Amino acid sequence: MAENATLAQADRIDLNVGGIHFSTTKSTLCSIEDTMLSALFSGRYPLALDQDGRYFLDRDPEKFRYVLAFLRNHNFKEIPRTDEFFYQSVLSEMDYFCIPYSGKVKKPMKCLTLRNIATIKEDGVFRSVCVVNSDHVVTGSNDGCIKIWNWKRNQMIRSISTNHNKVHCLEGTDSYIISSGNTSDISVWDVTTSELKHVLTGHTQSIACLKVGFGVLLSASMDHTIKIWDLEKFQCKITLQGHTKAVRCLDLDETRIVSGSDDMSIKVWDRALNTCLVTMTGHTYYVVGVKILPGNRLISGSLDKTVRIWDMVSGACIHTVDVGAFVWCINTIGDYAIVGSGSTVTLWNRLNWDCSVTLHGHKGDVWCAASYKNTLFSGSKDGTLRVWKPRKPDQSDPEFVDITPPVQRRVLPDLSASVPGSPHTLSLYAGSKKTRRLSSGNPSTTNKERPRYYSSSTGTVPSSTTSMFSEKEKERGREKEKEKEKEKEKEKEKEKE
């Protein structure tokens, strides 16, 4: 008994959450793997204590109460649904702690199937790609040219010659295409006329990354610095210093900037104060890709062949995935993280960090990846840009889930009617304003062998359509009889007068 009491006391953890005290156990907080709480209380990170020796968490205690209750019994139904706003805020709190909960999605996304719908081939090597709109994509390559493509037609619209020997970085806005490469300057091009509008100077070594968002342009350089540029005046607003080696990758949101460097660290910067909030270490080689995720999460990729998931507030590494090859680029599409490693593109489900699908087709390293709605673009060393879209899942296989919402079609009665003197049949499709000509009919073919919406080409009208027409004829006959009766009554009234 004494030994059990000693073990229970050692496992006990006292928390101070927003001024409210909670008592629980380490086994409860770590009952679900790969969460923020399991990482914090794993013993790997120093935690702040209050004056009474309790672990302090600066969170809302009312919401944390339900988070703790879920960790104890894994019962999702205990979260009250009386106040929908409070219910959603509790779910957001669970997202913050990276706790997967049942009921979040109606159906788990086990596998995503994409198909290669277009391949653009050129002599150079694709080093960068950005999407302008649903039809056009811009690429940069080792030949120093920027090319604008209509990827749906597999047609190059325009080519821009730059002063960069290699176009490593590309970003786009509604009005401009912004590029850089193995030079220290940044070029700004008019997206319509391809005219060079501005040249931004200030870095002392070549540019490694560009990022546009929230009214600013970020540039990372081999000179260990990050510069923030005003997109209206095209002037440098401030320079961030802190990395000890080249800065390779960038991302930003409304309040923060994230940078990855050759010094194997990731830094989170405050955009208002222009100061470093937290430095995350753990990678053992260059950090080449970072992407901010919902719920204060961050995904990073490195040449150490791993992808790591971080908490941006505490700086703790929550999850590590060994992809088995050099990681060259990181991006997102829907609920999936895009990882370009080696010659493959992998998509990872952000709910459980399982690899949902691996896209094969490239014969060289995948240098860049971008997404537009549900379309994925990947550029490779093999000189191809591949365009991927979700394939419609097999209805008999529930494991295939499409990230594109299904198109809802109204199923109307078959209004087919044969065309006199022709073996063809015209059929009206649901939701379509046009009639379409079907293939020639074969009198020996039965209705069962034909598609569900097609009528027979033997010249007969389906019974359902015949019955529908007969009902309409009856209604018209009744209406005519009523009109005749009304006319007779009017004539009788006139005779009386």
Side-chain angles (χ1 to χ4, degrees), residues 208 220-222 224-226 243 245-250 259-262:
S221 172
M222 305 299 283
H224 312 174
T225 66
I226 304 163
H243 286 290
K245 290 186 177 181
V247 185
R248 293 275 181 182
C249 49
L250 294 167
S259 58
S261 170
D262 284 0

Side-chain angles (χ1 to χ4, degrees), residues 85-253:
F85 178 79
F86 182 77
Y87 174 78
Q88 294 296 333
S89 63
V90 172
L91 299 189
S92 298
E93 192 73 3
M94 297 183 75
D95 282 336
Y96 173 81
F97 287 106
C98 202
I99 299 174
Y101 47 88
S102 60
K104 181 175 180 179
V105 291
K106 295 181 180 179
K107 185 177 181 181
M109 296 183 182
K110 293 184 179 180
C111 184
L112 177 71
T113 304
L114 280 85
R115 58 191 175 95
N116 184 196
I117 62 172
T119 301
I120 297 173
K121 177 72 176 178
E122 74 163 15
D123 296 333
V125 175
F126 284 107
R127 298 302 299 261
S128 52
V129 58
C130 71
V131 184
V132 177
N133 51 43
S134 60
D135 296 328
H136 300 94
V137 63
V138 182
T139 61
S141 57
N142 278 355
D143 60 3
C145 291
I146 300 172
K147 294 182 174 64
I148 304 174
W149 307 81
N150 185 321
W151 62 267
K152 290 184 177 179
R153 299 180 180 178
N154 199 354
Q155 177 184 5
M156 187 184 72
I157 299 175
R158 201 159 56 246
S159 179
I160 305 173
S161 298
T162 71
N163 62 336
H164 319 301
N165 292 333
K166 300 178 181 179
V167 182
H168 291 172
C169 319
L170 270 181
E171 281 292 304
T173 67
D174 294 337
S175 304
Y176 300 105
I177 297 173
I178 306 171
S179 67
S180 189
N182 56 348
T183 58
S184 60
D185 58 350
I186 303 169
S187 301
V188 182
W189 312 83
D190 187 280
V191 72
T192 304
T193 63
S194 302
E195 180 184 356
L196 181 62
K197 289 292 186 181
H198 305 277
V199 177
L200 310 182
T201 59
H203 284 291
T204 58
Q205 295 185 39
S206 60
I207 308 296
C209 181
L210 296 172
K211 193 68 179 180
V212 169
F214 305 97
V216 297
L217 166 68
L218 304 181
S219 61
S221 172
M222 305 299 283
D223 63 9
H224 312 174
T225 66
I226 304 163
K227 289 185 180 292
I228 305 175
W229 306 82
D230 189 332
L231 278 179
E232 294 183 356
K233 299 179 181 179
F234 290 99
Q235 296 177 354
C236 180
K237 298 170 62 177
I238 197 166
T239 301
L240 302 179
Q241 297 179 341
H243 286 290
T244 58
K245 290 186 177 181
V247 185
R248 293 275 181 182
C249 49
L250 294 167
D251 198 16
L252 77 162
D253 61 11

Side-chain angles (χ1 to χ4, degrees), residues 32-39 97-100 297 318-320 352-353:
I32 301 178
E33 296 181 354
D34 299 328
T35 66
M36 179 179 177
L37 292 172
S38 64
F97 287 106
C98 202
I99 299 174
R297 295 291 181 269
I318 299 172
H319 194 64
T320 302
N352 51 20
W353 292 110

Side-chain angles (χ1 to χ4, degrees), residues 400-420:
F400 285 83
V401 179
D402 195 350
I403 63 174
T404 305
V407 178
Q408 301 293 335
R409 294 185 177 180
R410 295 181 291 112
V411 180
L412 300 179
D414 192 354
L415 303 180
S416 304
S418 61
V419 179

Side-chain angles (χ1 to χ4, degrees), residues 3 17 22 25 65 84 91 187 195 226:
E3 292 181 358
V17 182
F22 294 87
T25 61
R65 188 185 309 277
E84 185 64 23
L91 299 189
S187 301
E195 180 184 356
I226 304 163

